[in-house]
Amino acid sequence: MEHTRIKELLNASEFGQEVVVKGWVKTFRNNQFIAINDGSSIHNIQAVVDFENTDDSLLKRVTTGAAVRVKGQLIESLGKGQRVEVKVTELSILGDSDPEKFPLQPKKHSLEFLREIAHLRFRTNVFNAVFKVRNALSFAVHQFFNERDFVYMHTPIITGSDAEGAGEMFRVTTLDLNNIPRNEAGEIDYKEDFFGKSTNLTVSGQLEGELAAMALGNIYTFGPTFRAENSNTTRHLAEFWMIEPEMAFYELEDNMDLAESLLKYVIKYALENCQDEIEFLNNRLLEEEKNKPAAERSELNLIDKLNFCLSSDFERVTYTEAIEILKRSKPNQKKQFKYLIDEWGADLQSEHERFLVEKHFKKPVILVDYPAEIKSFYMKQNDVDEHGRKTVRAMDILFPGIGEMVGGSQREENLEKLLNRMQEVGVPQEELDWFLDTRRFGTAPHSGFGVGFERLVLFVTGMTNIRDVIPFPRTPNNAEF
Amino acid sequence: MEHTRIKELLNASEFGQEVVVKGWVKTFRNNQFIAINDGSSIHNIQAVVDFENTDDSLLKRVTTGAAVRVKGQLIESLGKGQRVEVKVTELSILGDSDPEKFPLQPKKHSLEFLREIAHLRFRTNVFNAVFKVRNALSFAVHQFFNERDFVYMHTPIITGSDAEGAGEMFRVTTLDLNNIPRNEAGEIDYKEDFFGKSTNLTVSGQLEGELAAMALGNIYTFGPTFRAENSNTTRHLAEFWMIEPEMAFYELEDNMDLAESLLKYVIKYALENCQDEIEFLNNRLLEEEKNKPAAERSELNLIDKLNFCLSSDFERVTYTEAIEILKRSKPNQKKQFKYLIDEWGADLQSEHERFLVEKHFKKPVILVDYPAEIKSFYMKQNDVDEHGRKTVRAMDILFPGIGEMVGGSQREENLEKLLNRMQEVGVPQEELDWFLDTRRFGTAPHSGFGVGFERLVLFVTGMTNIRDVIPFPRTPNNAEF
């Protein structure tokens, strides 16, 4: 007899039928009530054992973490806290769990502890909820683009180019580190390496994405990207997933519209498809907040915050306007910012972004037209303004509690301007000659952006450490499991 | 005025409205007819220019590969080969394309040549079709699992474990190869490396997938995997994408059912959603076959072959039965096989797999219960048979023209048996202790499999070289773009 998943049983409207349940024991109370979870729901099903007619030796093996199979009748529950339960006629143990050794006890564990046993934390309610939400957001991303006829491109992970300059890179090699081959000049001979040259892990699929967009029109990537930066923060990972759409014939305004639609679409999808999980995470946060002083508590709970994002138009502001707002702001005047804003050209820090979003506009903000100096070489150059300032058609989308969720721009489609800028910032033309071909043969206005997927998951789950929203986080000195 | 994508215009049922089209010139005939493509369809739209009232200098810039914008009236076409066309009132060049330099001329290019300009091949019909089909198959994979409540898991790309033994690995490092740090014993000091230990690119997400399945129930991965093998064949890549579902409480039969459903679902999705593209690829193959001697031509065309797969039950055969069939087969008797099959235990080569699928059963075949010796340590051990033979609950799905499309198994859930097997084949227990925890705490029967995504795309597109179905192929001595 096949088993039925618990999610289905919990939603059953007919009672009386015989069912088989397989799952893991969460708790066992009074030698009678087994709470079983099979991962399909964050809710357990209660199995009621006829303990007087069950072997004691069998009952003793019903411990937290053990895998069990129960067969019985699905009935309406008379107890509190559940609508249905299984009146057990057959109980068997599929796999034991020694209660002395199983690290997950039926109590609250700290997230830090769970991070150390990342291979088992999937069995907790909080990580069940987090990874269900992550799954829903992933699917929503694909569905959003599919509905709009975008082509999903798998851009390469291993790259021979290190010119994008988005960050420090990891080397990929098959050279024997104990016996590095050298050429006649005594330099490392990468001709002996697997790809016949020096290769790294990608920091972005954008450049390859542009190639595809300048042929297929609208494309997106959704894949892993890497930074070999020694940042031990709650917002950085060495390996993380990015979504990077790239659209031919899009100007910056179209780009902003698309990014805002995408974010709203996926948040709405998660709210509609992960009600149980988001409600659980919402309650979890409310509990956490109780321990904080009143002043530090959030004004909105998680669900309200998500709904608020859906109903707000994101505020579109130029960098120059933002600098004026920040200059005049109380924390700047009172020197409460760590980095004071005193002139145009300053790079915005997290504290400034958060002030704009959380205090000033109180909603997601799209900042545009950044100084060219602090942005990448491939961004479209605006005309120099009346003060002689050079800006580019960049856009960053800032979210409450997160900071930068999206970074994007219209791309510089003019070959000459692009070459000049590359020379100014020292990007060697030879390395990107293939990329420049898009500007040589039928160039056209085009735009794109990148979404840090884990930051999106952070926002929707209300988690605060990015290591808690990816299954197996990779950070400096940590590549466990 | 916003532009409309060509796919939409080609499907328009109303005529007379003013439209704007942006795209790239494919051909320009008689100084009058521009075939424009914007990537949204493999079909072009014809724009008819009033050349007598258009500047000659402008018309000269309408060259293959140039990006243009045309505005005009959408009308029913009187010419052959198209239903609609645009009667142009405004023409402008967005980006020129020097016809002397643009590598893609309006003629047939070889796939080998296009591989060398992989950054431009997206603009050809054949690669437009291939990458649209690839996109449809990707989406279908996600939709299939989403409909069945599977959780999409992003298993790690960088891994500290090299114990899976699926193949040669790429090293990931931030050590300075010119100055490798060494410890007191003179060995390479990986404590100085980014992750504080030796790390590689993953060869499979399976082990991490098992951890998640033994908590969340049903999960799947879909991500890049790597092999540092020096194979220059039409079937191997150093970087490729794999789909790896893993299901708690599934036995081998359930595993086979799921794999067969998945393959049929995604092939059906592609047939329904990429009709134009698959028809184009079908015709392309028919053209190619004309150049072959009659004996080498396929019995079925591409579309028939795909439909045939959908309507057939995959043949389920044990390895032992397959060996008997192969032993008695004509090519074995006549010594036409390169590797003759003379006894039980032989590893099957591509020639044997193809014989079984293409000649004997003439449909996809699922081979099960392979000798333990030629399969991985983690596969569930069958009872030793009456001849003393050890087999495992493995399954390989073999496809016509492709060979192995899927490899999977029920997993060995018994800790003791698993440990014994690891010791036999020399997999160190310490390295996989985290993995073994699934067998220590609530172990249960579970199964999974891996689908090589590029092989699936090969099958559905009818392409023959795996480098032609991934945007930027990575192979020995090749990591361009």
Side-chain angles (χ1 to χ4, degrees), chain A residues 111-125:
Chain A
L111 296 174
E112 290 73 20
F113 169 72
L114 293 174
R115 238 170 266 149
E116 285 168 25
I117 52 163
H119 62 307
L120 294 172
R121 66 180 179 171
F122 302 108
R123 292 212 201 161
T124 64
N125 287 336

Side-chain angles (χ1 to χ4, degrees), chain A residues 3 5 7 22-24 38-40 65-67 94-98 101-103 119-120 122-123 128 131-132 134-135 138-139 142-143 146 148-160 169-175 177-178 180 182 188 190-191 193-197 199 201 208 211-218 222-224 226-230 238-239 241 248-249 269 434 437 440-444 453 471-472 474-481, chain B residues 3 5 7 22-24 37-40 65-67 94-98 101-103 119-120 122-123 128 131-132 134-135 138-139 142-143 146 148-160 169-175 177-178 180 182 188 190-191 193-197 199 201 208 211-218 222-224 226-230 238-239 241 248-249 269 434 437 440-444 453 471-472 474-481:
Chain A
H3 68 285
R5 300 188 78 189
K7 186 178 180 182
K22 294 177 180 177
W24 293 275
D38 66 0
S40 62
L94 300 173
D96 291 284
S97 173
D98 182 342
K101 291 183 183 157
F102 186 52
H119 62 307
L120 294 172
F122 302 108
R123 292 212 201 161
N128 183 309
F131 291 115
K132 292 283 174 65
R134 185 178 169 111
N135 167 65
S138 296
F139 185 72
H142 287 298
Q143 190 166 275
N146 190 61
R148 283 155 188 79
D149 258 337
F150 279 58
V151 180
Y152 180 31
M153 291 300 293
H154 292 115
T155 48
I157 310 302
I158 299 173
T159 163
M169 299 178 97
F170 288 101
R171 171 176 302 285
V172 174
T173 183
T174 54
L175 293 179
L177 299 198
N178 273 313
I180 304 246
R182 297 193 177 262
I188 296 169
Y190 289 113
K191 289 210 182 80
D193 209 346
F194 189 89
F195 296 105
K197 60 171 168 179
T199 50
L201 289 178
E208 290 88 356
L211 301 173
M214 293 304 279
L216 301 172
N218 296 342
F222 186 0
F226 305 86
R227 296 280 185 287
E229 270 152 31
N230 202 357
E239 172 180 317
W241 286 64
F249 314 118
Y269 183 94
W434 48 272
D437 272 357
R440 289 189 184 110
F441 304 115
T443 190
F453 184 61
F472 299 99
R474 267 69 182 111
T475 53
N477 286 312
N478 178 32
E480 296 306 308
F481 314 112
Chain B
H3 67 284
R5 299 187 79 190
K7 187 179 180 182
K22 294 178 179 176
W24 293 274
N37 191 289
D38 66 359
S40 62
L94 300 173
D96 290 284
S97 174
D98 182 341
K101 292 181 182 158
F102 187 52
H119 62 309
L120 294 173
F122 301 110
R123 292 212 200 160
N128 183 311
F131 291 116
K132 292 283 174 62
R134 185 177 168 112
N135 168 67
S138 296
F139 186 72
H142 288 299
Q143 189 166 276
N146 191 60
R148 283 155 188 78
D149 258 336
F150 277 59
V151 180
Y152 180 30
M153 291 301 293
H154 291 116
T155 47
I157 311 301
I158 300 173
T159 163
M169 299 178 97
F170 288 102
R171 172 175 301 286
V172 173
T173 183
T174 55
L175 293 179
L177 300 197
N178 274 311
I180 304 256
R182 297 193 176 263
I188 296 170
Y190 289 112
K191 288 207 181 82
D193 209 346
F194 189 89
F195 296 105
K197 60 170 167 181
T199 50
L201 289 178
E208 291 87 356
L211 301 172
M214 294 303 279
L216 300 173
N218 295 343
F222 186 178
F226 306 85
R227 296 281 186 287
E229 270 153 29
N230 202 359
E239 172 180 317
W241 286 65
F249 313 119
Y269 184 94
W434 47 272
D437 271 359
R440 290 190 182 109
F441 305 114
T443 191
F453 184 60
F472 299 99
R474 268 65 181 112
T475 52
N477 286 311
N478 178 32
E480 295 308 308
F481 316 110

Side-chain angles (χ1 to χ4, degrees), chain A residues 227-267:
Chain A
R227 296 280 185 287
E229 270 152 31
N230 202 357
S231 312
N232 259 309
T233 80
T234 56
R235 302 203 312 165
H236 291 89
L237 291 167
E239 172 180 317
F240 57 100
W241 286 64
M242 274 229 281
I243 303 149
E244 296 183 282
E246 198 70 36
M247 296 73 62
F249 314 118
Y250 268 49
E251 303 194 3
L252 190 65
E253 203 72 26
D254 310 307
N255 206 24
M256 288 194 274
D257 291 346
L258 186 76
E260 184 168 341
S261 310
L262 169 66
L263 293 172
K264 287 179 170 171
Y265 182 100
V266 301
I267 292 168

Side-chain angles (χ1 to χ4, degrees), chain B residues 234-253:
Chain B
T234 57
R235 302 204 313 164
H236 290 90
L237 291 166
E239 172 180 317
F240 56 100
W241 286 65
M242 273 228 283
I243 303 149
E244 296 182 283
E246 197 70 36
M247 295 74 62
F249 313 119
Y250 267 50
E251 303 194 4
L252 191 65
E253 203 71 27

